[in-house]
Amino acid sequence: MRVRATDFEAQRTRLGGAVDRAIATVLEHGRFVLGPEVGRLEEALASRTGANHAITCASGTDALSLALRSIGVGPGDAVVVPAFTFAATAGAVLLVGATPVFADVEPTTFNLDAATSERAIATATKASLRPAAMIAVDLFGHPAPYEELQKLAAANGMFLIADAAQSLGARAEGRPVGSLAPITTTSFFPTKPLGCYGDGGAVFTSDDAVATKLRSLRVHGQGTDKYDNVRVGMNSRLDTIQAAILLAKLAVFDEELELRRRTADSYGEALKGHVTVPSVAPRVEPAWALYTVRCDTRDRLVKALVDSEIEAAVYYRRPLHQQPAFAACPRGGDLGVSEQLASEVVSLPIQPYIDNEARQFVEHTVIHALR
Ligand SMILES: *Cc1c(COP(=O)(O)O)cnc(C)c1O
């Protein structure tokens, strides 16, 4: 039995002809860039997340760059980012000309740690950089500790950005991701919880001025009309076809989140005591983009899973400060938790279309491999 990390075939069966019909509608009206489906998707996303504005764009990476530019982050500015995340979180900072400063993550939730973030801010100041923003990542779908991080950001006159590429659909303190930080970015890459069939992303905010800037920045820095360029912008729009696909997929998104949750519950029960299962903070409902366990014989476990055709994968094998692209970036001290996690983590398949039999097969294979 093959257990897939993402099952596009099962998704197609579940959605029936809805995606095909949505694409056909766009082909007929022909408004391929910023067509009517883009506006409809933005309204649906804003109402789901509780943010006043949802601004779609071409990718999760662009969403981060747009967010940083919308608050004026650029050369001479420092942005605190976790060392244990996907490369784009830090890459976007360098792309806008600012400097990422690495902080460590919490050993339990793998999210940005407030104490080491404080040290990263001090590092930035010592290096004569202006501490401008912090990017917290909702790693593997678990929202970061926003209340604590927002206090730290506010105390230092910094913006807090949530990189929610993996956590759309999650909630904390009863509020949905998208309204947990002043600015939130997400990705619609096909393997994310809400994925399109290509690249896509979005930025959420309730700040009207930031929203206006974001809408301008994604269309060449446009002002009141297309002959008016008030700033240097990007070309970063979500294709109408992708928006149409996402609208069709939104209809089953809550059900998919529930199916992921069911697998997480089952794995948690079966695997605790065998590996370190993910811990969920109080009043948090993760989106379960990935189900990441810790194990000190990780490489042996990965081999056993892959040999059994279970598509397990390691996110992430190297923390960012050890990547050639980011090795020169400053650090807020010791990044020991990130380094330890990189040698111990493995993510088990948790997409919505894993049935009971597949779940039990994964659980059995993990337990057996560790005997
Ligand atoms: C996927 C991801 C991104 C980038 O999204 P793209 O749409 O692939 O550009 C950024 N941050 C995190 C944490 C991600 O997982």
Side-chain angles (χ1 to χ4, degrees):
M1 179 183 354
R2 174 170 283 279
V3 186
R4 296 182 193 282
T6 308
D7 194 339
F8 295 116
E9 228 175 279
Q11 240 174 44
R12 243 184 114 61
T13 307
R14 171 66 187 84
L15 289 162
V19 167
D20 301 42
R21 286 192 298 276
I23 294 173
T25 303
V26 178
L27 295 179
E28 277 154 28
H29 69 54
R31 294 173 61 189
F32 300 123
V33 177
L34 296 184
E37 284 82 356
V38 174
R40 273 172 42 215
L41 176 68
E42 290 180 342
E43 269 169 41
L45 290 172
S47 100
R48 268 197 77 97
T49 58
N52 288 350
H53 308 276
I55 297 106
T56 55
C57 62
S59 71
T61 306
D62 277 6
L64 285 164
S65 297
L66 287 164
L68 289 163
R69 293 209 42 206
S70 75
I71 52 170
V73 174
D77 291 341
V79 179
V80 175
V81 297
F84 192 65
T85 177
F86 182 60
T89 312
V93 176
L94 287 163
L95 284 173
V96 303
T99 305
V101 183
F102 291 114
D104 213 354
V105 295
E106 297 176 337
T108 47
T109 63
F110 315 150
N111 283 331
L112 189 61
D113 175 74
T116 68
S117 296
E118 213 165 344
R119 286 202 285 278
I121 295 167
T123 300
T125 309
K126 239 180 272 163
S128 302
L129 296 165
R130 177 184 76 111
M134 300 169 58
I135 304 179
V137 179
D138 298 345
L139 208 66
F140 307 140
H142 187 299
Y146 286 106
E147 270 181 34
E148 200 184 354
L149 294 171
Q150 178 57 41
K151 271 185 211 144
L152 182 61
N156 290 279
M158 299 164 80
F159 272 95
L160 179 59
I161 297 172
D163 178 351
Q166 302 180 5
S167 65
L168 201 64
R171 303 174 72 86
E173 306 294 335
R175 281 157 52 210
V177 158
S179 58
L180 300 177
I183 304 178
T184 301
T185 65
T186 200
S187 163
F188 303 122
F189 186 77
T191 60
K192 311 282 178 173
L194 181 63
C196 61
Y197 294 151
D199 276 306
V203 187
F204 304 92
T205 186
S206 289
D207 184 319
D208 296 343
V210 168
T212 302
K213 260 195 174 166
L214 286 165
R215 289 189 195 282
S216 162
L217 283 166
R218 77 171 168 181
V219 191
H220 312 289
Q222 189 175 292
T224 46
D225 65 55
K226 69 176 176 184
Y227 302 107
D228 182 29
N229 296 99
V230 294
R231 54 179 66 83
V232 178
M234 297 165 63
N235 171 9
S236 183
R237 290 153 311 190
L238 181 70
D239 290 342
T240 309
I241 285 179
Q242 298 300 345
I245 292 166
L246 285 166
L247 279 168
K249 291 192 68 184
L250 259 184
V252 301
F253 186 45
D254 285 322
E255 183 191 320
E256 291 192 338
L257 288 165
E258 176 53 31
L259 291 167
R260 287 176 186 270
R261 190 149 47 232
R262 241 182 257 174
T263 300
D265 289 345
S266 175
Y267 284 170
E269 274 304 306
L271 300 179
K272 64 172 188 249
H274 299 279
V275 291
T276 308
V277 298
S279 33
V280 177
R283 305 202 13 100
V284 162
E285 295 166 47
W288 297 111
L290 292 164
Y291 189 90
T292 304
V293 303
R294 296 177 67 172
C295 166
D296 49 19
T297 53
R298 192 265 313 275
D299 289 335
R300 208 177 76 198
L301 176 57
V302 172
K303 184 176 182 321
L305 289 164
V306 171
D307 285 351
S308 301
E309 300 203 305
I310 294 169
E311 293 178 357
V314 176
Y315 302 107
Y316 299 90
R317 225 171 243 288
R318 244 204 275 177
L320 294 188
H321 62 285
Q322 294 178 343
Q323 295 283 1
F326 307 112
C329 299
R331 301 164 194 185
D334 178 41
L335 302 171
V337 176
S338 297
E339 287 167 16
Q340 181 83 19
L341 288 174
S343 70
E344 290 185 359
V345 290
V346 50
S347 302
L348 307 177
I350 194 169
Q351 43 88 7
Y353 303 101
I354 291 175
D355 60 15
N356 252 332
E357 197 190 349
R359 231 175 254 154
Q360 282 164 13
F361 178 55
V362 173
E363 292 159 2
H364 171 85
T365 307
V366 171
I367 292 167
H368 192 77
L370 296 172
R371 284 244 166 82

